Amino acid sequence: MNADRKNSLRRRNIALAVVLGGLAVGFYVAFFVVVGNS
Amino acid sequence: MSNAHAAHDGHHDDHEHHGPPPGLMRWIKTTNHKDLGTLYLWFSFTMFMIGGMMALVIRAELFQPGLQLVDPGFFNQMTTMHALVMIFGGVMPGFVGLANWMIPMMIGASDLALPRINNWGFWLLPFAFLLLLSTLLVPGGGPAAGWTMYPPLVLQSADALPMLIFAVHLMGISSITGAINIVVTILNMRTPGMTLLKMPLFVWTWLITAYLLIAVMPVLAGAVTMLLTDSFFGTTFFNAAGGGDPVMFQHIFWFFGHPEVYIMILPAFGIVSMIVPTFARKHLFGYDSMVYAVASIAFLSFIVWAHHMFTVGMPVAGELFFMFATMLIAVPTGVKVFNWVATMWKGSMTFETPMLFAIAFIFLFTIGGFSGLMLAIVPADFQYHDTYFVVAHFHYVLVPGAVFSIMAGVYYWLPKWTGHMYNERVGQLHFWLTTIFVNVTFFPQHFSGLAGMPRRIPDYAVQFTEFNMISSVGAFGFGFSQLILLYVVVSCIRGGKPATSRVWEGARGLEWTVASPAPYHTFETPPDLPDEEITSAQEAHV
């Protein structure tokens, strides 16, 4: 695999991981807000 | 030789010098998916042994009515810790180990997408469980309120509580990082030509499981954080005196807990869906419907949580909704069972150890599924709730279900990992002893439960004695039979008949195109996807 393709794949991997990690953290925080206000 | 084979072999020649570094640091610093898969699997086995010993303490105490061996407080610690260790330390890391080893090889990727996070995710686990197990040594002992950690009881856990909560957070972080890694790997790193509906079923089930993990582990983390703040920072999330609601914890916990059940069974469906076609020498029947069934089960798992708490008191409309939603899960689950049977139908079947475990899985998991349907019926559940019938139900789902599938997977892929065939006779001995003893252990618990024996008690009325004695004998037989598995695995690592690349005559998929043992680095160049390696039924024109 050439270097450009490798870097592009790495960027896409990190981007998707950040989105998914953000979702997980978002669920955690949203949960606190919802339950705390219920 | 297939193109994939050729691509791999070329790569292997180039990098033969590039093996793992020697010594202990290899295992601490490794970012290699195969090394980490091995670590996860050994960790899982160790936890199975520790959790198993706790189960034997429970069963030894319950061999006779009356208090014999341990005091009731310690008994409660054993039931709580047994569940936590088995669920978070045994079953989940077992599946993650199999995913680490196999998913990159199945989709033609060189490794998981985030190898350093993979290392971190694994190495959180030993510390999490060291922390959890060390609660047994602190004043007041370990947590004893059950793995469900219901307040207000769990808030009496003294010094163990913050340790338990921190350990659960660590396990959660490990699970979430692992899940993110798996989703990213599957979505971004499949070899060209492997569309989603050409992926092996094990990959599909893990993709959906990983989404479930990302969705529900933060919920568990939130719930235990609230326990922490209730206990130490003056909040009253679950304290009625301060305007909170202890029943709300149960809703939150089971919103995590029911999808967690499927987190522990969907990868098992994937493993069985890989093994049955191999030993039936046919393509999997109804590949698409299998994928949709897994997705349906995952969706339904979010809307059935309150069936764990029918007796807590809820509106009849709520009970009806959760009852019918729960029963609905039987439909996609039935699709899967019938598809496995249809795959075997008129197949050229042989019964090596992985296939024996897979067939036992189909039979025995279905028994657990049926008792689950019984428990879904609200008026019946009022009778069964918190009895040994529930214990029998979830052990049928988790032991001959999840654990058997892990064992099946280990036997199936062991030659690929070690390069040696395991001893088939000893493997089959392990299977038969395990299967007989698992039924001796758990089947009588249906009867004691229906007769009214409550769960989580160290003593019981004398009329339950015989069923408990049988169950305890079975548990010791089951526990000691697992030493045979240890023997098989260790002797297979040390030597044995060399394994070929494909290992099993009927096996299909990219993982079987690489040498056995699988080289340290595989598929650094994405392989071609030859038609004969495609696992999807319709692609193979069956």
Side-chain angles (χ1 to χ4, degrees), chain B residues 415-437:
Chain B
K416 176 57 64 188
W417 302 337
T418 64
H420 304 122
M421 297 305 289
Y422 62 85
N423 186 322
E424 185 61 42
R425 280 170 68 94
V426 182
Q428 296 204 7
L429 175 72
H430 172 237
F431 165 77
W432 284 110
L433 288 175
T434 299
T435 303
I436 290 166
F437 281 126

Side-chain angles (χ1 to χ4, degrees), chain B residues 53-65:
Chain B
M53 282 187 263
M54 292 171 178
L56 294 186
V57 171
I58 294 166
R59 286 312 326 168
E61 177 58 48
L62 292 175
F63 183 72
Q64 285 183 316

Side-chain angles (χ1 to χ4, degrees), chain B residues 327-358:
Chain B
M327 289 175 155
L328 212 53
I329 297 180
V331 177
T333 310
V335 167
K336 301 193 75 64
V337 171
F338 283 119
N339 278 356
W340 289 321
V341 174
T343 304
M344 288 188 272
W345 177 252
K346 293 189 175 175
S348 182
M349 289 171 63
T350 52
F351 299 94
E352 287 86 345
T353 311
M355 183 62 161
L356 289 174
F357 272 109

Side-chain angles (χ1 to χ4, degrees), chain A residues 1 5-6 9-14 16-18 20-29 31-33 35-38, chain B residues 113-114 169 176 180 183-184 187-189 192 211 214-215 218-219 221-223 225-226 237-238 248 252 255 524-526:
Chain A
M1 197 186 297
R5 206 165 162 250
K6 221 170 191 170
L9 180 61
R10 187 173 293 148
R11 274 197 298 275
R12 281 193 296 137
N13 286 347
I14 292 170
L16 183 53
V18 168
L20 293 170
L23 266 179
V25 174
F27 286 146
Y28 180 77
V29 173
F31 202 67
F32 255 96
V33 173
V35 174
N37 288 329
S38 68
Chain B
L114 310 155
H169 277 121
I176 291 169
I180 290 172
V183 172
V184 176
L187 293 187
N188 281 357
M189 296 180 68
Y211 277 122
I214 293 168
V219 176
T225 308
M226 290 178 208
F237 287 115
F238 308 125
M248 187 171 65
I252 299 168
F255 186 77
E524 292 216 331
T525 303

